[in-house]
Amino acid sequence: MQILNVTDKEFTNFGRIIEGYEAEKKEIMEALRDKTPIPEGTDYVAEEAALQSLAAADKITNTLFGGSPMQFGWCNGHNTKLNCLEYHRSSEINMGATDFILLLAKREDIVDYKLDSSKVKAFLVPAGVMVEVYATALHYAPCQAHKDSGFQVLVGLPKGTNVGKPEYTAANQEDKLLTATNKWLLAHADSSEAKNGAWVGITGENIDIANDIQ
């Protein structure tokens, strides 16, 4: 699979690079590197005290999310597969203490609540580059950028996202994709999420970039 860079023009369909905030980025990177683990698999923490308490977190919240409450967590580990795609009703902020790769697609390419994995593109995000992934972009757990190392990635979202699941009675098909607060999920049939009952909404191959990284 071709791995593009977030500096390539193709990324503008999915997100943008956030300029400035150099001191804040450095503070966040150091906390990610020193205070969060790199598990053998993939782990996610919606809100991490070591990040949330940073002065950098306050400053970024007051501008990037316009002062709306924001949570700072992480997604770390080792992964090379697509498995699932999700979307929110909001943008997501990502930045790595390591290089990492995002597998992204566009919501507009969903047809009858299914998406062909051939629509997915891969983007390298170099360490220290902060990106906004638009609400219109499908994404999921990052992938490692190198065979011999994992990833440590900031996940900034509106407060309460991915925390618990609202109680509701599905009124339409999209409602059946809602798996957590502000999280709609499409799973590939080969994924553990599908085996646990998630909507099987990814057709085609379950992309694996293991042979595309060095």
Side-chain angles (χ1 to χ4, degrees):
M1 184 174 192
Q2 181 184 15
I3 298 175
L4 302 166
N5 195 295
V6 290
T7 57
D8 294 332
K9 64 180 181 180
E10 289 89 345
F11 184 64
T12 60
N13 292 316
F14 304 94
R16 68 181 180 102
I17 294 173
I18 297 171
E19 304 290 349
Y21 303 103
E22 298 309 320
E24 290 74 24
K25 290 173 183 175
K26 183 175 184 291
E27 186 180 7
I28 291 169
M29 282 182 64
E30 290 174 351
L32 268 175
R33 183 191 64 216
D34 298 338
K35 297 182 179 180
T36 68
I38 305 180
E40 285 303 312
T42 301
D43 201 3
Y44 169 72
V45 171
E47 186 171 315
E48 168 62 59
L51 300 173
Q52 197 74 36
S53 62
L54 297 175
D58 286 338
K59 181 168 182 178
I60 289 173
T61 293
N62 285 336
T63 49
L64 293 186
F65 273 64
S68 296
M70 186 175 172
Q71 67 189 27
F72 292 82
W74 51 264
C75 187
N76 295 358
H78 295 79
N79 177 50
T80 60
K81 289 187 175 182
L82 175 64
N83 288 323
C84 296
L85 289 166
E86 69 180 5
Y87 61 90
H88 312 296
R89 296 283 194 250
S90 56
S91 291
E92 177 173 324
I93 305 301
N94 292 141
M95 184 183 69
T98 61
D99 298 341
F100 65 99
I101 291 170
L102 289 174
L103 299 178
L104 304 175
K106 293 185 286 188
R107 278 187 64 187
E108 65 192 66
D109 286 328
I110 297 174
V111 178
D112 294 330
Y113 302 97
K114 292 184 181 292
L115 181 122
D116 192 305
S117 64
S118 66
K119 300 290 187 180
V120 174
K121 294 184 180 295
F123 292 94
L124 171 68
V125 188
V129 174
M130 182 177 284
V131 297
E132 175 186 357
V133 178
Y134 297 147
T136 51
L138 301 168
H139 60 281
Y140 202 52
C143 292
Q144 64 203 68
H146 309 288
K147 290 185 184 294
D148 60 353
S149 63
F151 55 87
Q152 292 172 293
V153 178
L154 168 76
V155 179
L157 284 162
K159 198 169 184 67
T161 298
N162 291 330
V163 178
K165 182 179 178 181
E167 294 184 9
Y168 67 97
T169 299
N172 55 43
Q173 183 58 50
E174 189 193 31
D175 289 353
K176 297 177 183 178
L177 277 60
L178 185 60
T179 58
T181 307
N182 192 25
K183 174 178 178 174
W184 290 262
L185 185 75
L186 289 79
H188 192 278
D190 293 344
S191 69
S192 60
E193 289 86 347
K195 293 175 174 60
N196 289 328
W199 169 255
V200 178
I202 299 176
T203 61
E205 69 171 305
N206 187 17
I207 293 169
D208 189 339
I209 64 167
N211 294 326
D212 302 309
I213 57 177
Q214 297 181 351

